[in-house]
Amino acid sequence: MPLTANDVDRFEASRPRLEAIAYRLLGSAGEAEDAVQETFLRWQAADIDRIEVPEAWLTKVLTNLCLNQLTSARARRETYVGQWLPEPLLAGDPMLGPADTAEQRESVSYAVLTLMARLSPNERAVYVLREAFDYPHREIAEILDITEAASQQIFHRAKKHVAAGKARTEVDEAAARRIVEEFLAAATSGQIEPLVRLLTEDAISIGDGGGKIPAVAKAIEGAVAVARFLRGLFKPGEAKRALAGGAPEVYVWTANGDPAVVAVVDGRVVGVMCLEVTAGGISAVHNQVNPDKLERATAHWAAADHGKPLFNAF
């Protein structure tokens, strides 16, 4: 039976929440949109009059689609060229979802999304539904076809894994801007000492080029090694300009709630560098330059009031 206008409206009212869940689960805006669209097709084919709680039904369908996607994604990432990082979402992107609590904001941070990639699909689903969307374990158990006790155990295990890998400090917009400006001043100074002072001793740098843009294949570890790498990265060069398609305009921004550097060439976002900030300094630099993972950022950037760049790189 064709969907009524009311049926479509009920789905569309749930779309923002579904997209935010799917993004947290998959780490990819494009894959999240695909999962939500497939959920709509399932909704379209269902006997809607027999669905007692549409929101619960939609969440269950979406979550299980994402679990299937995560299982196949793990296999694909075994052959992924270089390091895998999530797709960054710029400030104001509705797919970032709820941000009323510290837990909700943290669950979509770049650091936590990266850590969640190490969790099993079930651990990731329970963590996201409980931590970011405050689903009771009873409902999570129904969504995943597990017991309530199992949901609680999985959540505690997942939360422990995530907590063990992070010590992120939440910063407001003004502090984020100051951190990025200090970072860029140090990175473009030509010296490693200013950068070392901003980094934690065990800082790491990870880049994702997806095999399409050159990026270091393994994580760079240690403040001095990261500082040397960043000094070289920001050093002007004709080859870098050619690779980027021009001299990138560099902006101070936020992505996934974290301080970020956004590089733009002719309106196209060519890089998003997210800084993970702890009480001891910048502990991680995540640099996303895979063009496939920057398409949404480019579309969002075109609609944003981003002002003037801080400077032109390279």
Side-chain angles (χ1 to χ4, degrees):
M1 189 171 69
L3 291 181
T4 66
N6 185 52
D7 294 333
V8 174
D9 288 344
R10 278 196 290 179
F11 183 87
E12 290 304 323
S14 294
R15 183 183 289 274
R17 177 180 56 83
L18 296 174
E19 287 189 344
I21 291 173
Y23 171 69
R24 282 167 166 83
L25 287 173
L26 300 172
S28 164
E31 290 179 4
E33 289 175 333
D34 289 345
V36 172
Q37 185 58 29
E38 180 59 30
T39 302
F40 176 75
L41 295 177
R42 304 283 179 95
W43 174 251
Q44 193 174 37
D47 185 352
I48 294 175
D49 290 337
R50 299 185 64 181
I51 297 174
E52 294 181 4
V53 185
E55 180 179 301
W57 187 92
L58 290 169
T59 303
K60 180 167 185 168
V61 170
L62 174 84
T63 301
N64 282 284
L65 286 169
C66 289
L67 288 176
N68 292 337
Q69 179 74 4
L70 283 170
T71 301
S72 61
R74 278 193 159 195
R76 290 199 308 274
R77 285 172 196 170
E78 290 178 2
T79 58
Y80 191 82
V81 179
Q83 297 286 316
W84 181 93
L85 289 173
E87 179 176 348
L89 297 183
L90 302 182
D93 192 313
M95 198 176 281
L96 289 168
D100 298 325
T101 68
E103 290 79 12
Q104 288 172 337
R105 292 189 293 273
E106 185 173 73
S107 71
V108 79
S109 70
Y110 213 69
V112 168
L113 286 178
T114 303
L115 286 168
M116 282 200 294
R118 306 174 192 172
L119 303 180
S120 71
N122 259 18
E123 285 175 335
R124 191 161 181 159
V126 172
Y127 181 85
V128 166
L129 291 172
R130 180 65 183 157
E131 191 79 345
F133 295 90
D134 203 28
Y135 276 78
H137 285 290
R138 175 181 52 78
E139 291 185 24
I140 296 174
E142 292 172 359
I143 289 169
L144 298 177
D145 292 323
I146 58 177
T147 65
E148 189 172 343
S151 176
Q152 292 170 338
Q153 291 171 353
I154 292 170
F155 175 69
H156 289 306
R157 186 166 65 241
K159 193 166 185 178
K160 185 177 179 181
H161 286 326
V162 172
K166 67 174 178 63
R168 176 177 174 269
T169 299
E170 193 168 16
V171 296
D172 60 27
E173 188 174 341
R177 182 172 186 85
R178 185 174 65 253
I179 289 166
V180 175
E181 288 177 346
E182 289 177 357
F183 171 80
L184 287 171
T188 56
S189 69
Q191 307 295 319
I192 67 167
E193 290 80 8
L195 272 169
V196 171
R197 286 195 292 269
L198 293 178
L199 300 168
T200 61
E201 189 175 344
D202 59 350
I204 63 169
S205 176
I206 302 174
D208 179 351
K212 300 183 178 184
I213 299 294
V216 178
K218 294 184 178 180
I220 299 169
E221 301 179 358
V224 173
V226 171
R228 284 177 176 151
F229 168 72
L230 291 170
R231 179 184 62 180
L233 183 66
F234 281 92
K235 187 176 181 180
E238 188 60 40
K240 294 175 185 175
R241 284 192 292 273
L243 187 64
E249 296 176 331
V250 176
Y251 293 83
V252 178
W253 212 250
T254 59
N256 294 76
D258 293 327
V261 178
V262 176
V264 181
V265 174
D266 295 331
R268 178 173 52 92
V269 175
V270 296
V272 177
M273 181 178 284
C274 295
L275 308 180
E276 184 179 339
V277 179
T278 67
I282 298 170
S283 62
V285 179
H286 296 113
N287 193 23
Q288 183 58 262
V289 292
N290 183 344
D292 293 343
K293 297 183 182 182
L294 296 173
E295 291 178 358
R296 185 180 178 94
T298 293
H300 188 76
W301 188 258
D305 180 14
H306 39 71
K308 295 182 179 181
L310 195 63
F311 62 84
N312 282 68
F314 309 155

